[in-house]
Amino acid sequence: MAANNAYQLDPGPLDASVLTGQLTHRSRDIWIGNDNMILNTRKCDGKFWDLVNEHLIHPRVLDVIKLSGLYGIYRSHRPVIDRSLITALVERWRPETHTFHFRTGESTITLQDVEILYGLPVKGLLLADTSGGLLKLMYLPMLEDITTVGSYSWGSATLAYLYRFLCKASQSSQNEIAGFLPLLQIWAWERVIVLTPQIVAKRDTRNIFPVGLPRGPHAARWYAHFSWTDTTKHVLRVFRDALDSMTENQFIWEPYSSDIIESLPKYCRVGRDIWRARVSIFCWDVVEVHLPDRVMRQFGLVQAIPSSFAFDATHFNHDRRGRSNTNWELEHAQWLHFWNHIDQYVWNAPILHGSLRAGHPPALH
């Protein structure tokens, strides 16, 4: 056969109506052989955990942490972030759908994961007001009355910020990722068996957490000693191969049984009635979309063909540089409607029985 008639593999997508950004997606780099890039992971909380490990936190400071709505993060500690695992997941993330595209189907981090794993409140006030000049200073006005800090939707803000950096990092031009990466890593450990280490023993936390503290959220179970016999760490090619060959029984659609949810502290399930809300989520200048209707199997419900959400697939190219005095509440007015009427946008579908299958179009609940 002549060379110009030779059969050529098409990396896809065969239908570009949904995945419109393939030409700039980092998965294309893998296809053409530029596949050695491991993302750098940015963090700004390292000193905090050094202090936690070295000194018991004063009871008055603990009281503030409890009031803030951020207690679950403190109580869970911080896992060692595996840059290769994070990179392998980012290669599967699609900004057009805000989901990971696995062989087993689409999956994503939802408001349910944020609240169950870290106890971050998903109901509450949005972080979308007039900004200051520096990112860290933006939060100072909220600390004027410490008793109201816990009234903010830290969970939705955390998820919006992580979504934004997943979208940015999925582009072939990027070499780093930020956001709350412990959430991403532990989400994967909960669901993707081929990525999950085996817990062999709990860590002794008596020198870190004072006796008598309220129980931690579900992520606290991963502050442990691990065995890596059945999986790996820090090897990107192995993670890629594991995800490439993952079978249906190696992905856990519902890691949080009803018994697990009911056994968790109340702060891990306060917002359960909006876990399936198809809405915009915010963190100051960042606006992202929460699309649980694409992953209904994660809630034990029948998955139908999802409808599109009118959102710019290149939204992650916009940032706050040069706009330090912008009133983001006014800027995002067109998207605030969804959050302000969130109860109207909770997605529902028939309960999934037996094998995984598609079904009738879902309805708003």
Side-chain angles (χ1 to χ4, degrees), residues 59-71 121 125 139-152 154:
R60 291 178 62 184
V61 177
L62 275 175
D63 288 340
V64 173
I65 292 176
K66 294 174 191 175
L67 285 172
S68 71
L70 306 175
Y71 172 76
L125 302 173
Y139 297 93
L140 289 181
M142 295 185 296
L143 303 178
E144 291 177 347
D145 183 354
I146 200 66
T147 62
T148 66
V149 175
S151 65
Y152 289 95
W154 294 111

Side-chain angles (χ1 to χ4, degrees), residues 76-103:
S76 301
H77 212 277
R78 191 182 200 278
V80 176
I81 298 300
D82 189 322
R83 293 169 51 218
S84 295
L85 184 151
I86 298 298
T87 301
L89 290 170
V90 170
E91 291 169 352
R92 297 273 177 169
W93 178 263
R94 299 302 307 211
E96 305 95 332
T97 61
H98 283 66
T99 56
F100 299 100
H101 285 220
F102 297 131
R103 292 189 68 210

Side-chain angles (χ1 to χ4, degrees), residues 66-186:
K66 294 174 191 175
L67 285 172
S68 71
L70 306 175
Y71 172 76
I73 294 179
Y74 159 71
R75 196 63 176 80
S76 301
H77 212 277
R78 191 182 200 278
V80 176
I81 298 300
D82 189 322
R83 293 169 51 218
S84 295
L85 184 151
I86 298 298
T87 301
L89 290 170
V90 170
E91 291 169 352
R92 297 273 177 169
W93 178 263
R94 299 302 307 211
E96 305 95 332
T97 61
H98 283 66
T99 56
F100 299 100
H101 285 220
F102 297 131
R103 292 189 68 210
T104 51
E106 292 182 44
S107 184
T108 198
I109 308 166
T110 68
L111 293 174
Q112 180 195 50
D113 298 296
V114 177
E115 194 160 53
I116 285 180
L117 290 176
Y118 281 96
L120 292 173
V122 297
K123 283 186 171 181
L125 302 173
L126 292 175
L127 277 69
D129 206 339
T130 306
S131 75
L134 296 174
L135 181 62
K136 292 180 181 179
L137 298 181
M138 292 160 58
Y139 297 93
L140 289 181
M142 295 185 296
L143 303 178
E144 291 177 347
D145 183 354
I146 200 66
T147 62
T148 66
V149 175
S151 65
Y152 289 95
S153 177
W154 294 111
S156 66
T158 298
L159 189 59
Y161 206 64
L162 179 58
Y163 277 0
R164 174 56 56 91
F165 280 100
L166 281 167
C167 291
K168 290 177 71 71
S170 70
Q171 302 303 289
S172 59
S173 60
Q174 300 296 308
N175 62 6
E176 65 178 11
I177 184 172
F180 190 33
L181 299 180
L183 171 61
L184 173 57
Q185 182 163 302
I186 288 181

